[in-house]
Amino acid sequence: MLLEMNDIKFIKAGKNRYIGEFLKELPHNAMLNKVAVGAGATSVALRSVDKMVLCVPFVSLILNKLEWCKQNQIDAIGVYANGENEETIKGFKGNIIIVTWDSLHKVVNQIDPSQWKITIDESHKLIDSGAFRGDAIRNVLDNYKKFKSYCFVTATPVDDEYQLEDLKSIQKYQIVWDNLNPVTVNYMPLKDKLHKYVAVIALSHLQGKSIGNAHVFINSVNGIIGIVKHLIKSEENIKDNIRIVCADNDRNNELLKLRLGLKYKRSENTSPAKKINFYTSTSFEGSDLKDSQGVCYIVTDGSVDHTKINILTTLPQIAGRIRDSIYKNEVTLIYTPNSYYSHTTEAEFKESVKANLKLYNEVVKDFKNVSDATKVEILKGSQNNPYLIEYKGELRLNETAMCNEMYNFRTIHKTYYIVKDETQESFKSIQIKHNEIEYYYQPKKQPSLTGLNKLNIGEQPNFKDLCLEYIELRESPFSIGTDLIESQYPIIRQAYEILGTDKMKALEYRQKDFERELIKVNTLKNNDWKMVQLLDYKIGQWLTSPQIKEDLDKAYQELGIIKNAKGTDLEQYYEIKLHFKTIEGKTIRGYKIINYKVK
């Protein structure tokens, strides 16, 4: 059923779950807001009886969809930088070609586009990728009208105000679903130590403390490496439980090899899920991820430009990305603040964008007049600058920057908001409706970075914290983690089992005091052995007579031996030799420890 309102045509889905259940083909010459992620719009395109080009932003989506086509016995080819060559395209007799934006011109040059339809999937990426892929976007905009019909598909629509000029006049369609599920977002704001906290959370899944398998969406290979390096410290053979899905390029492969070694290689998003799974932006949109026990985490470091843009604006895309998960309507957002996610009003942010465009326009004008060394630095800095584009060694102003930045800002502030009081940041609302989907926000307590968690990620924990946590674990039905504590600090187990918790508390959880107390209560050893342990002198050590007498007195007292200590008592426990030392011009009498008499 088709309804029309405010220049948008609404298609009623009724009780259906997938678009293919009520549409045999996508609308022609249209901008389709499918609303729900995983609604099956791509499947409709791939099952087309007409010749269809599916145009996608990432190579990983091509590989993902080719795998789907193979499973569904659909003849398809993939065209990208290292994909099918032009001769193969020209001779292809099938109906489905899947191509990246960058390679669309290759397809157009080898087919008669007027005989083919085109579906541009994840079309909102034409906006939020504008700063980094200007030529690829131009490739789409210059070619889509050459086809028999076209359909731009997204679950994250762009407001007309910030839509690309070429696309504003396209007829809009929206699916109306009767069975949309709300999304619960558990949010965890952090000030620092982002990688450590994520490592602790991942380990809780590995160790069975948390349900399911962790799927961590973080658009930074360096960020993934930082987290994995903490995980490696906890368990030597953890590699079999880690999966890293990122773009297949020399930079990523070299980074993984250099910083993690040959054991940790990238995987495709079609590979089997593991206990801990990491994804960069190649899998944020469009990909069908499978894991019935998958638990979704979105991690964003506000200090890194390419993570804050792609993650925060694509939260609606990532939620539900794991198609068959029993937890697919729940995500945990772990973040540090950034410039989009801020207290700035939209009007203020827009003015700042205008000012930046003016500033960088001057940078572009001056670029030809600077030295070659300065050009290299400017081009390097432009890689993560939303206002600049590097093209064949030249600098260009990103003409879509206004659309980019305002789309990012508005998408974030439609999905979630913050207000600020004098002490903290918090979400403005616990229930927000965006693109017909309700988001319920609830705070999630961050894990502690003390005791066992600190030990888990290879850091030195506070001994008292570790003792208290060990006691808690031993006295609970679940003792996960006690093995690690016992292996690293066996004295804690000894103190718990021999001295008891009251004595541990009385000794104020001091390791040295535990050691002395355990020596004293050892019923299998005689007092001579205990004296040697308490004195703890080393071979070659030199001591004065007063120091020896003081140490003997203390040891006698601790063991309950009623005796006045004399320096010569030491000969009962050690072989000693009279030895004089000159200290500050004075000759001091003392003894050197030669050997032990008590074994």
Tab-separated table of all heavy atoms in Angstrom, residues 450-486:
chain	number	residue	atom	x	y	z
A	450	THR	N	41.097	-2.064	38.896
A	450	THR	CA	41.858	-2.414	40.095
A	450	THR	C	41.915	-3.932	40.215
A	450	THR	O	41.272	-4.658	39.467
A	450	THR	CB	41.190	-1.831	41.363
A	450	THR	OG1	39.851	-2.358	41.464
A	450	THR	CG2	41.115	-0.318	41.304
A	451	GLY	N	42.689	-4.385	41.169
A	451	GLY	CA	42.706	-5.803	41.505
A	451	GLY	C	42.879	-6.727	40.326
A	451	GLY	O	43.795	-6.599	39.523
A	452	LEU	N	41.958	-7.695	40.222
A	452	LEU	CA	42.050	-8.733	39.200
A	452	LEU	C	42.003	-8.155	37.795
A	452	LEU	O	42.715	-8.618	36.903
A	452	LEU	CB	40.921	-9.745	39.393
A	452	LEU	CG	40.889	-10.928	38.428
A	452	LEU	CD1	42.186	-11.717	38.489
A	452	LEU	CD2	39.699	-11.824	38.731
A	453	ASN	N	41.151	-7.144	37.555
A	453	ASN	CA	41.072	-6.548	36.226
A	453	ASN	C	42.409	-5.947	35.808
A	453	ASN	O	42.819	-6.047	34.652
A	453	ASN	CB	39.985	-5.468	36.183
A	453	ASN	CG	38.598	-6.070	36.075
A	453	ASN	OD1	38.447	-7.231	35.702
A	453	ASN	ND2	37.584	-5.296	36.412
A	454	LYS	N	43.082	-5.310	36.734
A	454	LYS	CA	44.388	-4.731	36.440
A	454	LYS	C	45.405	-5.845	36.160
A	454	LYS	O	46.222	-5.743	35.248
A	454	LYS	CB	44.849	-3.868	37.612
A	454	LYS	CG	45.792	-2.753	37.224
A	454	LYS	CD	45.915	-1.718	38.329
A	454	LYS	CE	46.742	-0.530	37.850
A	454	LYS	NZ	46.845	0.506	38.894
A	455	LEU	N	45.341	-6.896	36.941
A	455	LEU	CA	46.229	-8.045	36.738
A	455	LEU	C	45.967	-8.679	35.377
A	455	LEU	O	46.888	-9.088	34.677
A	455	LEU	CB	46.004	-9.063	37.857
A	455	LEU	CG	46.975	-10.248	37.943
A	455	LEU	CD1	48.392	-9.769	38.208
A	455	LEU	CD2	46.529	-11.220	39.037
A	456	ASN	N	44.689	-8.717	34.993
A	456	ASN	CA	44.290	-9.326	33.728
A	456	ASN	C	44.921	-8.643	32.521
A	456	ASN	O	45.248	-9.298	31.529
A	456	ASN	CB	42.764	-9.270	33.579
A	456	ASN	CG	42.108	-10.597	33.950
A	456	ASN	OD1	42.663	-11.645	33.686
A	456	ASN	ND2	40.950	-10.539	34.565
A	457	ILE	N	45.065	-7.334	32.581
A	457	ILE	CA	45.608	-6.618	31.422
A	457	ILE	C	47.105	-6.347	31.582
A	457	ILE	O	47.671	-5.469	30.935
A	457	ILE	CB	44.846	-5.302	31.150
A	457	ILE	CG1	44.904	-4.350	32.349
A	457	ILE	CG2	43.410	-5.596	30.768
A	457	ILE	CD1	44.300	-2.979	32.065
A	458	GLY	N	47.732	-7.115	32.475
A	458	GLY	CA	49.188	-7.094	32.570
A	458	GLY	C	49.768	-5.925	33.339
A	458	GLY	O	50.928	-5.572	33.148
A	459	GLU	N	48.974	-5.306	34.218
A	459	GLU	CA	49.476	-4.190	35.006
A	459	GLU	C	49.603	-4.595	36.470
A	459	GLU	O	48.992	-5.566	36.926
A	459	GLU	CB	48.561	-2.983	34.858
A	459	GLU	CG	48.512	-2.472	33.419
A	459	GLU	CD	48.002	-1.054	33.331
A	459	GLU	OE1	47.436	-0.548	34.317
A	459	GLU	OE2	48.177	-0.431	32.263
A	460	GLN	N	50.404	-3.823	37.208
A	460	GLN	CA	50.663	-4.136	38.606
A	460	GLN	C	49.495	-3.673	39.478
A	460	GLN	O	49.242	-2.488	39.612
A	460	GLN	CB	51.949	-3.426	39.068
A	460	GLN	CG	52.408	-3.790	40.464
A	460	GLN	CD	52.926	-5.217	40.567
A	460	GLN	OE1	53.554	-5.708	39.644
A	460	GLN	NE2	52.653	-5.871	41.665
A	461	PRO	N	48.775	-4.611	40.089
A	461	PRO	CA	47.640	-4.203	40.921
A	461	PRO	C	48.081	-3.830	42.331
A	461	PRO	O	49.176	-4.198	42.769
A	461	PRO	CB	46.765	-5.463	40.948
A	461	PRO	CG	47.753	-6.578	40.841
A	461	PRO	CD	48.888	-6.068	39.983
A	462	ASN	N	47.223	-3.126	43.024
A	462	ASN	CA	47.443	-2.859	44.440
A	462	ASN	C	47.218	-4.165	45.202
A	462	ASN	O	46.200	-4.833	45.015
A	462	ASN	CB	46.465	-1.773	44.913
A	462	ASN	CG	46.578	-1.490	46.396
A	462	ASN	OD1	46.012	-2.212	47.206
A	462	ASN	ND2	47.305	-0.453	46.735
A	463	PHE	N	48.170	-4.539	46.068
A	463	PHE	CA	48.107	-5.837	46.747
A	463	PHE	C	46.854	-5.954	47.620
A	463	PHE	O	46.193	-6.990	47.647
A	463	PHE	CB	49.366	-6.042	47.599
A	463	PHE	CG	49.481	-7.411	48.215
A	463	PHE	CD1	49.836	-8.506	47.447
A	463	PHE	CD2	49.208	-7.599	49.565
A	463	PHE	CE1	49.930	-9.769	48.008
A	463	PHE	CE2	49.297	-8.863	50.140
A	463	PHE	CZ	49.663	-9.956	49.350
A	464	LYS	N	46.500	-4.885	48.300
A	464	LYS	CA	45.312	-4.914	49.158
A	464	LYS	C	44.054	-5.135	48.321
A	464	LYS	O	43.182	-5.933	48.690
A	464	LYS	CB	45.200	-3.609	49.941
A	464	LYS	CG	43.976	-3.552	50.854
A	464	LYS	CD	43.922	-2.251	51.648
A	464	LYS	CE	42.664	-2.200	52.511
A	464	LYS	NZ	42.596	-0.940	53.305
A	465	ASP	N	43.937	-4.430	47.179
A	465	ASP	CA	42.768	-4.606	46.302
A	465	ASP	C	42.656	-6.055	45.851
A	465	ASP	O	41.567	-6.625	45.800
A	465	ASP	CB	42.892	-3.710	45.063
A	465	ASP	CG	42.732	-2.234	45.400
A	465	ASP	OD1	42.186	-1.922	46.467
A	465	ASP	OD2	43.177	-1.400	44.582
A	466	LEU	N	43.797	-6.653	45.523
A	466	LEU	CA	43.806	-8.028	45.048
A	466	LEU	C	43.362	-8.987	46.162
A	466	LEU	O	42.619	-9.944	45.916
A	466	LEU	CB	45.221	-8.386	44.568
A	466	LEU	CG	45.348	-9.395	43.429
A	466	LEU	CD1	44.508	-8.974	42.224
A	466	LEU	CD2	46.804	-9.544	43.017
A	467	CYS	N	43.809	-8.726	47.385
A	467	CYS	CA	43.407	-9.562	48.527
A	467	CYS	C	41.903	-9.495	48.746
A	467	CYS	O	41.234	-10.524	48.926
A	467	CYS	CB	44.122	-9.094	49.796
A	467	CYS	SG	45.883	-9.460	49.846
A	468	LEU	N	41.355	-8.286	48.738
A	468	LEU	CA	39.921	-8.110	48.983
A	468	LEU	C	39.095	-8.783	47.888
A	468	LEU	O	38.068	-9.403	48.163
A	468	LEU	CB	39.591	-6.618	49.057
A	468	LEU	CG	40.157	-5.877	50.276
A	468	LEU	CD1	39.944	-4.376	50.144
A	468	LEU	CD2	39.506	-6.383	51.569
A	469	GLU	N	39.554	-8.670	46.647
A	469	GLU	CA	38.829	-9.293	45.551
A	469	GLU	C	38.933	-10.813	45.619
A	469	GLU	O	37.963	-11.525	45.339
A	469	GLU	CB	39.377	-8.784	44.214
A	469	GLU	CG	38.472	-9.089	43.053
A	469	GLU	CD	38.744	-8.220	41.844
A	469	GLU	OE1	39.503	-7.229	41.958
A	469	GLU	OE2	38.203	-8.545	40.772
A	470	TYR	N	40.087	-11.326	46.011
A	470	TYR	CA	40.273	-12.770	46.151
A	470	TYR	C	39.330	-13.320	47.220
A	470	TYR	O	38.687	-14.352	47.022
A	470	TYR	CB	41.718	-13.068	46.515
A	470	TYR	CG	42.013	-14.547	46.638
A	470	TYR	CD1	42.307	-15.312	45.519
A	470	TYR	CD2	41.997	-15.181	47.884
A	470	TYR	CE1	42.573	-16.664	45.615
A	470	TYR	CE2	42.260	-16.536	47.997
A	470	TYR	CZ	42.544	-17.277	46.862
A	470	TYR	OH	42.803	-18.612	46.982
A	471	ILE	N	39.249	-12.627	48.340
A	471	ILE	CA	38.353	-13.057	49.420
A	471	ILE	C	36.914	-13.083	48.934
A	471	ILE	O	36.158	-14.036	49.188
A	471	ILE	CB	38.493	-12.122	50.643
A	471	ILE	CG1	39.875	-12.295	51.278
A	471	ILE	CG2	37.396	-12.399	51.669
A	471	ILE	CD1	40.206	-11.245	52.320
A	472	GLU	N	36.515	-12.038	48.203
A	472	GLU	CA	35.145	-11.961	47.680
A	472	GLU	C	34.856	-13.110	46.722
A	472	GLU	O	33.784	-13.733	46.779
A	472	GLU	CB	34.944	-10.619	46.971
A	472	GLU	CG	33.519	-10.414	46.470
A	472	GLU	CD	33.340	-9.069	45.780
A	472	GLU	OE1	34.270	-8.237	45.823
A	472	GLU	OE2	32.267	-8.859	45.185
A	473	LEU	N	35.828	-13.410	45.852
A	473	LEU	CA	35.647	-14.505	44.903
A	473	LEU	C	35.571	-15.863	45.598
A	473	LEU	O	34.745	-16.704	45.232
A	473	LEU	CB	36.794	-14.507	43.884
A	473	LEU	CG	36.800	-13.374	42.850
A	473	LEU	CD1	38.110	-13.358	42.087
A	473	LEU	CD2	35.626	-13.519	41.888
A	474	ARG	N	36.426	-16.070	46.595
A	474	ARG	CA	36.441	-17.346	47.313
A	474	ARG	C	35.155	-17.572	48.084
A	474	ARG	O	34.734	-18.710	48.300
A	474	ARG	CB	37.642	-17.404	48.249
A	474	ARG	CG	38.984	-17.642	47.585
A	474	ARG	CD	39.116	-19.051	46.982
A	474	ARG	NE	39.016	-20.102	47.946
A	474	ARG	CZ	40.040	-20.727	48.508
A	474	ARG	NH1	41.282	-20.378	48.169
A	474	ARG	NH2	39.862	-21.690	49.373
A	475	GLU	N	34.521	-16.485	48.481
A	475	GLU	CA	33.315	-16.616	49.306
A	475	GLU	C	32.027	-16.472	48.503
A	475	GLU	O	30.947	-16.376	49.067
A	475	GLU	CB	33.369	-15.581	50.440
A	475	GLU	CG	34.541	-15.867	51.388
A	475	GLU	CD	34.628	-14.906	52.555
A	475	GLU	OE1	33.824	-13.956	52.607
A	475	GLU	OE2	35.510	-15.126	53.424
A	476	SER	N	32.173	-16.437	47.154
A	476	SER	CA	30.995	-16.389	46.287
A	476	SER	C	30.870	-17.725	45.571
A	476	SER	O	31.819	-18.507	45.523
A	476	SER	CB	31.141	-15.257	45.272
A	476	SER	OG	32.144	-15.587	44.322
A	477	PRO	N	29.682	-18.016	44.977
A	477	PRO	CA	29.513	-19.298	44.271
A	477	PRO	C	30.427	-19.429	43.060
A	477	PRO	O	30.728	-20.523	42.618
A	477	PRO	CB	28.037	-19.256	43.830
A	477	PRO	CG	27.398	-18.224	44.688
A	477	PRO	CD	28.454	-17.223	45.014
A	478	PHE	N	30.859	-18.291	42.498
A	478	PHE	CA	31.703	-18.315	41.308
A	478	PHE	C	33.091	-17.813	41.669
A	478	PHE	O	33.251	-16.749	42.236
A	478	PHE	CB	31.100	-17.428	40.212
A	478	PHE	CG	29.663	-17.732	39.925
A	478	PHE	CD1	28.660	-16.933	40.439
A	478	PHE	CD2	29.315	-18.835	39.161
A	478	PHE	CE1	27.325	-17.221	40.195
A	478	PHE	CE2	27.988	-19.125	38.900
A	478	PHE	CZ	26.989	-18.322	39.426
A	479	SER	N	34.089	-18.590	41.352
A	479	SER	CA	35.454	-18.219	41.736
A	479	SER	C	36.333	-17.963	40.520
A	479	SER	O	37.520	-18.206	40.537
A	479	SER	CB	36.078	-19.318	42.595
A	479	SER	OG	36.085	-20.544	41.890
A	480	ILE	N	35.708	-17.480	39.406
A	480	ILE	CA	36.467	-17.192	38.187
A	480	ILE	C	37.491	-16.101	38.485
A	480	ILE	O	37.148	-15.027	38.969
A	480	ILE	CB	35.522	-16.741	37.048
A	480	ILE	CG1	34.554	-17.854	36.682
A	480	ILE	CG2	36.334	-16.320	35.825
A	480	ILE	CD1	33.482	-17.442	35.703
A	481	GLY	N	38.738	-16.377	38.192
A	481	GLY	CA	39.785	-15.389	38.421
A	481	GLY	C	40.715	-15.746	39.555
A	481	GLY	O	41.822	-15.220	39.645
A	482	THR	N	40.282	-16.648	40.444
A	482	THR	CA	41.144	-17.000	41.582
A	482	THR	C	42.408	-17.715	41.111
A	482	THR	O	43.473	-17.543	41.704
A	482	THR	CB	40.390	-17.895	42.593
A	482	THR	OG1	39.869	-19.041	41.899
A	482	THR	CG2	39.258	-17.134	43.253
A	483	ASP	N	42.291	-18.482	40.029
A	483	ASP	CA	43.471	-19.207	39.523
A	483	ASP	C	44.572	-18.250	39.117
A	483	ASP	O	45.752	-18.481	39.397
A	483	ASP	CB	43.088	-20.091	38.327
A	483	ASP	CG	42.274	-21.309	38.742
A	483	ASP	OD1	42.203	-21.568	39.962
A	483	ASP	OD2	41.714	-21.977	37.865
A	484	LEU	N	44.181	-17.160	38.447
A	484	LEU	CA	45.174	-16.179	38.002
A	484	LEU	C	45.835	-15.498	39.200
A	484	LEU	O	47.059	-15.335	39.239
A	484	LEU	CB	44.518	-15.128	37.099
A	484	LEU	CG	45.443	-14.029	36.578
A	484	LEU	CD1	46.577	-14.621	35.746
A	484	LEU	CD2	44.658	-13.005	35.747
A	485	ILE	N	45.043	-15.131	40.179
A	485	ILE	CA	45.602	-14.488	41.377
A	485	ILE	C	46.553	-15.441	42.081
A	485	ILE	O	47.653	-15.064	42.488
A	485	ILE	CB	44.477	-14.034	42.331
A	485	ILE	CG1	43.624	-12.949	41.667
A	485	ILE	CG2	45.058	-13.510	43.649
A	485	ILE	CD1	42.411	-12.526	42.479
A	486	GLU	N	46.140	-16.700	42.226
A	486	GLU	CA	46.974	-17.692	42.927
A	486	GLU	C	48.280	-17.963	42.190
A	486	GLU	O	49.320	-18.180	42.818
A	486	GLU	CB	46.190	-18.990	43.104
A	486	GLU	CG	45.046	-18.862	44.101
A	486	GLU	CD	44.133	-20.076	44.123
A	486	GLU	OE1	44.381	-21.024	43.335
A	486	GLU	OE2	43.180	-20.075	44.905
